[in-house]
Amino acid sequence: MAGLSGVAGAGPAAADQVTLGLDYHCTFPLLGPEPVHVDLTADVPSSVEVGQQMNGFVIDSVSAVNAESARALGALYSVTLEGNALADATLTVPEEPDGLPVQVDSALDKTALPASGGFTVHGKGTSPDLTFTQAGPGKVTVGNLVLTLTPRTDDGGPTGLGTFQSECIQDPGQNNVLASFQITLPGAQGPSKPGTPAVTAHTSTSVTLGWGASTETGGTVTGYDVYSNGAVVASSTGTTATVPNLTPKTSYTFTVKAKDGKGNVSDASDPVTVTTDAAGPSSHAYALKGTTTIKASNGTVPLTGSLNTQVAPDTGAVTGDLALDPADAALQAFGFLPVTAHLAFANQGPTSGTYTGGALSTDTKVLVKASSFTAFGIVPIGGGDQCQTTAPSDLKLASAGTFDPAKGGALKGGYDLADLTGCGPITGLLSPLVAGTGNTADLALTPKSGS
C-alpha cells in the first residue's frame, strides 16, 4: 500500500473535468427513505506517470432534496441546514485490482430552507494525494454516502432533531464511475492526439465513430478508447468503433484517446456530439387461443391462431396481422337441430389499434367463409367455395385489465356478422344461423418464444 501514498519528485499531472449524476435514497427522521439526486464535478487527470503525484482532486457536489423532506424539516422550525457528507469511493488500479476503499469527506454549505418546494445543497471535498507503482488503467467509482446534518432554527440554535446522520443508499443499476485514467511508464513518449471523431452511423441505441489515426515515435499505437462523460464506452484496435447500449433521442458527447503497449495514453481528441435516433417500433408475436359466440344460433366456436404486432414508442399506434385458424362452429337451427359450420376467416387488411396506459385495443376487418354446413355432423346441407358473409365484420378487441406486451394477456370484444351469400339452394335458411349482432370473442394471448 505504500505505493499508493506519498509525494514523488515529478510534478503533478494536469487534470480534466469529469461529471457524474447519481440517485440515492437517504433515510431522514420522521420520513424514512427519500430520493436525493447528487451531481458530482471533479478535475481528474486523464493520465499520470508511475511515481508521479496525482494531487487530491476537489469534488464539488450539488444535492437535490425533494419538497417533502423540506416540509418535514420546516415542521420542526428549521430555517437552515449544515453539515458534511462522507462518501465511499473505490480506487481500482493495477496494484489494487480488487479496489482500494477511499473515503472523501465533503463540507456542506450552510443552506437556507425554502418556504415551499425542494432545495439544493452544495458541498466540496478533496480526495487524498496518490502515487502509483505500476502502469495500467485506473478508475474511481462512487458508492454510498453518510450525511451528518444539523438543522437550525431562526436564532441559530438546533431544532428538536439535533445533529443526526442520514444513510444514503445508491439506487441500483447506475453508472457510478466518476473518472477513468491511465497510469503510464515515466519518460516514455506516448501516442499523438487522435483526429476529431466523425459520426459514420447512428441508430436509436448505438453510434458508430471514425477518427484520424494517432502516431508514436519509437513505439506502436495498440488501440483506442472512446470516452463519454469521463468513462470508456467502447474500445478498438482500429480507427472506428461502435458505442452500444445508448438511450434513444439522447445527446452524447464523445472523445477518443490512443494508447500504446507501455501504458501511455494520448491527449483526448476534440469532441463530437450526436443525438441518437428515436426508438423504432417494438415487435411482439403472440399465440392466440379462445372462443367466440355466435348469438343468432347460440353457437360456440373454438379459436386458435396468432397475432403479430408492432407498437410505435412515441404514439402507441399498433399495426399488425391477426391470423385465425379455420374452425368448426356448433350451431342450433330452429332452436333444436344441431348444425356444424366449417368456418374460415379472411382478413381484409392489416390489424390496427393503440397501446396506451397499459391498455391494448385492436381492430381487424374479417370476411367469414363457410365451406360446409352439416346437420347432425353427417348430412351436408350447404356451403361451398362461394359461401361467405356479404360484408366484412369489424372485429374490435380490447385488453381485459392491464396488458403487458412482454407477457401477453386477455382480449375481449364483439362484432356483427352480415348475411350469407353463395351457400347453395337454402342460403336463405342458413344465413339466419350466422347473421346478426351481439357476437362476442374472448381470447388469451401468449408470447411466442423469442418474441
Side-chain angles (χ1 to χ4, degrees):
M1 295 306 301
L4 292 179
S5 62
V7 178
D16 297 329
Q17 188 176 84
V18 294
T19 59
L20 178 66
L22 290 170
D23 291 314
Y24 294 85
H25 272 76
C26 301
T27 301
F28 294 115
L30 307 179
L31 290 176
E34 288 293 314
V36 173
H37 180 81
V38 180
D39 287 313
L40 302 172
T41 304
D43 289 331
V44 182
S46 59
S47 65
V48 60
E49 290 184 355
V50 169
Q52 181 185 24
Q53 177 179 310
M54 185 168 76
N55 286 345
F57 44 87
V58 176
I59 302 177
D60 278 293
S61 65
V62 178
S63 302
V65 183
N66 67 11
E68 186 173 356
S69 301
R71 283 195 299 270
L73 291 168
L76 294 172
Y77 306 104
S78 306
V79 297
T80 63
L81 187 68
E82 58 191 75
N84 70 289
L86 188 65
D88 291 331
T90 301
L91 175 70
T92 305
V93 290
E95 56 260 58
E96 290 288 344
D98 295 328
L100 173 69
V102 177
Q103 288 190 323
V104 179
D105 195 1
S106 297
L108 303 179
D109 293 350
K110 185 175 182 178
T111 303
L113 301 180
S116 62
F119 63 96
T120 58
V121 180
H122 174 257
K124 181 177 290 188
T126 304
S127 69
D129 295 342
L130 299 169
T131 59
F132 307 102
T133 61
Q134 298 179 31
K139 67 178 180 180
V140 178
T141 56
V142 180
N144 296 330
L145 307 173
V146 176
L147 305 177
T148 302
L149 302 173
T150 303
R152 297 190 181 277
T153 61
D154 56 3
D155 62 2
T159 68
L161 293 175
T163 296
F164 64 90
Q165 284 192 334
S166 173
E167 185 176 2
C168 298
I169 304 300
Q170 195 175 112
D171 293 352
Q174 302 180 82
N175 170 31
N176 63 348
V177 178
L178 175 63
S180 299
F181 57 92
Q182 195 74 20
I183 306 165
T184 64
L185 296 174
Q189 182 175 352
S192 64
K193 174 180 172 180
T196 303
V199 177
T200 59
H202 52 86
T203 69
S204 61
T205 58
S206 68
V207 170
T208 300
L209 304 172
W211 56 86
S214 296
T215 59
E216 183 171 0
T217 302
T220 303
V221 176
T222 58
Y224 300 86
D225 289 326
V226 179
Y227 288 78
S228 180
N229 200 26
V232 176
V233 292
S235 298
S236 174
T237 57
T239 56
T240 62
T242 298
V243 183
N245 304 321
L246 303 179
T247 302
K249 294 185 70 174
T250 302
S251 179
Y252 292 89
T253 298
F254 301 103
T255 59
V256 178
K257 297 179 183 179
K259 55 190 178 183
D260 64 15
K262 298 178 180 180
N264 297 304
V265 177
S266 72
D267 292 335
S269 70
D270 292 336
V272 63
T273 299
V274 60
T275 299
T276 50
D277 299 340
S282 58
S283 298
H284 304 278
Y286 305 99
L288 175 154
K289 187 175 183 179
T291 59
T292 180
T293 61
I294 298 178
K295 184 178 179 181
S297 55
N298 195 28
T300 300
V301 187
L303 292 179
T304 58
S306 63
L307 175 63
N308 299 325
T309 64
Q310 286 194 323
V311 182
D314 293 337
T315 64
V318 172
T319 57
D321 177 28
L322 174 67
L324 297 175
D325 299 329
D328 288 331
L331 310 177
Q332 288 185 352
F334 313 114
F336 67 92
L337 178 65
V339 173
T340 300
H342 187 71
L343 305 180
F345 309 92
N347 289 359
Q348 304 301 292
T351 296
S352 61
T354 59
Y355 177 71
T356 57
L360 173 67
S361 63
T362 65
D363 187 358
T364 310
K365 288 182 170 52
V366 180
L367 194 67
V368 178
K369 299 186 176 185
S371 60
S372 66
F373 287 87
T374 56
F376 303 104
I378 55 174
V379 180
I381 57 174
D385 293 340
Q386 303 302 313
C387 182
Q388 63 185 36
T389 52
T390 56
S393 297
D394 199 7
L395 175 57
K396 294 181 181 290
L397 299 171
S399 53
T402 301
F403 187 89
D404 183 345
K407 298 179 180 179
L411 295 183
K412 297 179 181 294
Y415 59 98
D416 300 335
L417 284 169
D419 291 336
L420 293 177
T421 184
C423 303
I426 62 170
T427 296
L429 295 177
L430 296 175
S431 184
L433 298 178
V434 174
T437 62
N439 308 301
T440 61
D442 192 344
L443 308 175
L445 302 184
T446 304
K448 292 184 178 180
S449 176
S451 66

